Amino acid sequence: MRILAIETSCDETALAIVDGTGGLDNPRFTVVRSALYSQIETHAQYGGVFPAIAKREHALKFVPLLTELLAETASKDEQTAIASEAFNASQVDWHAIEELLAREPDLFAALKTYIETHGKPAVDMIAVTSGPGLEPALWVGINAARALSLLWNIPMLPVNHMEGHIASVLLENTKTTFPLIALLISGGHTEMVHVETWGTYKLIGQTKDDAIGEAYDKVARMLGFPYPGGPKIAALAARARSENLVDESISFPRPMLTTADFDFSLSGLKTAILYKVQSLGELTDELRMVIAREFEDAVTEVLVKKVTRALEAHNAHGLIVGGGVIANAHIRAALTTVAADTGVSLHIPTTALATDNAVMIAMAGYLRAQQETPSIAPKVRAQGNLALTSSQA
Ligand code: KG4
Ligand code: ZN
């Protein structure tokens, strides 16, 4: 099955063509081609991701990315792989398409030009993220997917973004014994999921307030660094460790460390740091390093404890870690140790597949297609808080 996937849930506009085979028992994937535009520099000017700006950028970049994805300048191999079919654009009901893209008039105009001058790619299904995420941003991908589904007569399926993060590990030859526990940590999510088999999930824990990446970014701002400051905090903490800097007066809480659930809370920790920073007044570089380290140690300690308990409580055989925060070397090393100590297999995607991308949406779409039947331009809604469990038994 060849899948065209579309991801616009946050600040990356991403497209991919992926081949899937093997069904739910033995899913295997090959990336034919992928294209991604990150809005991070646009949002950095504002200090965070604004939904209306994200939506505008998605609408602006969609057709250029589609053109890049299906480019005629692609290598010979890729051209054969994607293989366009002859397509008669004169038979299209442009009225219906214009209505579908009524809120994205510029996208409609660009798409019309594209469709009238290009063939139809030989794909079997379109997969699109329908949630969770920023609803204005999600709508752009959904409307574009429905338009392409209608135009090319290719069936489509909506995909849960979190199933995408779980499926992100499937590009490697993932040998697994179920059940697995998935820890998904990024600027937008902090969730723990019980994976019974591919396609069957249960959310067992999540943050009650901020996501981990969001907490890193907020602490970075308190210390005077621009968005997104997560990597800066990680670098300061690493230096504090290598220089063995300690300051007994800097210690922060480990929120929900001992509660019997698998939930997280980051806002109390963040507030404790804010009060500390305010009481200190002028910050030296050394203080910034010690604060960054103590914050990172607190977050890591809670993650390690909760993940260990989840693995044990659910007799899990493997640990999946996904989301942009896996770029953090300290957290990554700690979770690697957890997996080794509890004797479970560890599955971590490459950074390109850990941050938001369309390859993971294609893989999740393939898993979904083993359980649901795709159809032409179904009425899909953007669901900002879409639960992972909604489409499972
Ligand atoms: O998955 P991602 O690219 O975007 C979404 O949130 O969807 O994750 C980005 C988040 C940001 O909050 C960023 O500050 C954080 O991941 N991050 C890090 C590191 N690299 C990125 N946080 C801690 N340490 C890092 N090395
Ligand atoms: Zn994500």
Side-chain angles (χ1 to χ4, degrees):
M1 179 183 263
R2 176 156 290 169
I3 297 165
L4 165 63
I6 300 170
E7 155 66 40
T8 65
S9 69
C10 188
D11 59 350
E12 332 273 355
T13 320
L15 296 172
I17 292 183
V18 174
D19 287 342
T21 167
L24 285 180
D25 291 341
N26 188 27
R28 290 283 175 271
F29 298 95
T30 313
V31 179
V32 177
R33 206 162 152 84
S34 69
L36 183 141
Y37 170 73
S38 172
Q39 305 172 358
I40 193 110
E41 279 174 19
T42 307
H43 295 296
Q45 303 165 31
Y46 303 96
V49 180
F50 281 86
I53 292 167
K55 175 195 151 74
R56 186 195 68 195
E57 291 287 299
H58 287 309
L60 214 59
K61 287 300 187 310
F62 186 83
V63 174
L65 273 179
L66 186 71
T67 311
E68 184 188 327
L69 186 81
L70 305 172
E72 276 141 29
T73 52
S75 73
K76 267 231 163 61
D77 278 359
E78 283 171 336
Q79 275 188 45
T80 330
I82 300 170
S84 291
E85 292 170 6
F87 174 69
N88 190 349
S90 65
Q91 306 211 329
V92 169
D93 176 3
W94 284 111
H95 238 57
I97 305 295
E98 188 166 16
E99 216 162 276
L100 221 162
L101 293 172
R103 303 213 178 170
E104 290 87 25
D106 294 342
L107 198 167
F108 170 73
L111 192 65
K112 187 162 187 284
T113 305
Y114 178 84
I115 295 291
E116 285 173 342
T117 49
H118 293 75
K120 165 188 168 180
V123 301
D124 303 303
M125 184 181 98
I126 298 170
V128 63
T129 306
S130 62
L134 307 169
E135 289 189 358
L138 289 161
W139 275 119
V140 178
I142 291 170
N143 291 339
R146 293 185 68 211
L148 290 176
S149 174
L150 259 182
L151 282 163
W152 286 334
N153 197 35
I154 297 173
M156 64 177 262
L157 269 186
V159 169
N160 184 306
H161 180 84
M162 303 316 289
E163 181 166 17
H165 276 300
I166 293 169
S168 69
V169 299
L170 283 170
L171 200 59
E172 309 290 323
N173 268 356
T174 305
K175 285 250 179 322
T176 43
T177 314
F178 294 101
L180 310 171
I181 294 294
L183 175 73
L184 310 175
I185 44 178
S186 75
H189 357 274
T190 298
E191 297 190 357
M192 204 131 47
V193 179
H194 178 266
V195 182
E196 192 183 316
T197 59
W198 300 125
T200 308
Y201 317 100
K202 189 171 173 223
L203 181 68
I204 58 169
Q206 61 187 321
T207 181
K208 294 183 173 301
D209 35 67
D210 294 348
I212 291 187
E214 186 183 358
Y216 266 90
D217 295 336
K218 286 179 176 172
V219 170
R221 181 185 290 196
M222 291 176 209
L223 300 187
F225 303 109
Y227 171 88
K232 184 74 194 176
I233 295 294
L236 289 178
R239 264 188 68 199
R241 273 181 213 106
S242 75
E243 290 174 22
N244 218 0
L245 289 180
V246 273
D247 185 332
E248 298 295 326
S249 74
I250 309 264
S251 82
F252 302 132
R254 271 68 173 152
M256 302 187 70
L257 183 69
T258 55
T259 57
D261 50 42
F262 305 113
D263 290 331
F264 302 92
S265 170
L266 279 304
S267 73
L269 174 58
K270 181 189 68 189
T271 308
I273 296 173
L274 180 64
Y275 288 158
K276 192 71 195 180
V277 168
Q278 284 172 346
S279 77
L280 288 167
E282 194 77 0
L283 287 180
T284 61
D285 285 349
E286 211 155 273
L287 272 172
R288 286 193 180 90
M289 282 189 260
V290 176
I291 291 170
R293 177 194 181 163
E294 173 65 6
F295 163 71
E296 189 164 271
D297 283 350
V299 168
T300 307
E301 197 178 321
V302 176
L303 280 177
V304 163
K305 181 86 176 268
K306 296 253 167 173
V307 169
T308 305
R309 279 195 35 244
L311 290 168
E312 286 168 358
H314 292 275
N315 284 316
H317 293 277
L319 172 64
I320 292 174
V321 191
V325 177
I326 72 165
N328 184 288
H330 188 69
I331 291 176
R332 208 183 160 100
L335 292 171
T336 304
T337 305
V338 166
D341 289 351
T342 46
V344 306
S345 58
L346 179 66
H347 311 277
I348 301 186
T350 60
T351 310
L353 280 180
T355 56
D356 292 349
N357 65 87
V359 171
M360 71 181 195
I361 300 306
M363 295 193 286
Y366 177 80
L367 300 179
R368 254 328 81 224
Q370 312 306 309
Q371 294 162 294
E372 290 167 36
T373 312
S375 59
I376 303 297
K379 281 209 159 41
V380 174
R381 288 181 51 76
Q383 289 178 269
N385 297 314
L386 181 65
L388 185 57
T389 45
S390 66
S391 46
Q392 285 80 226

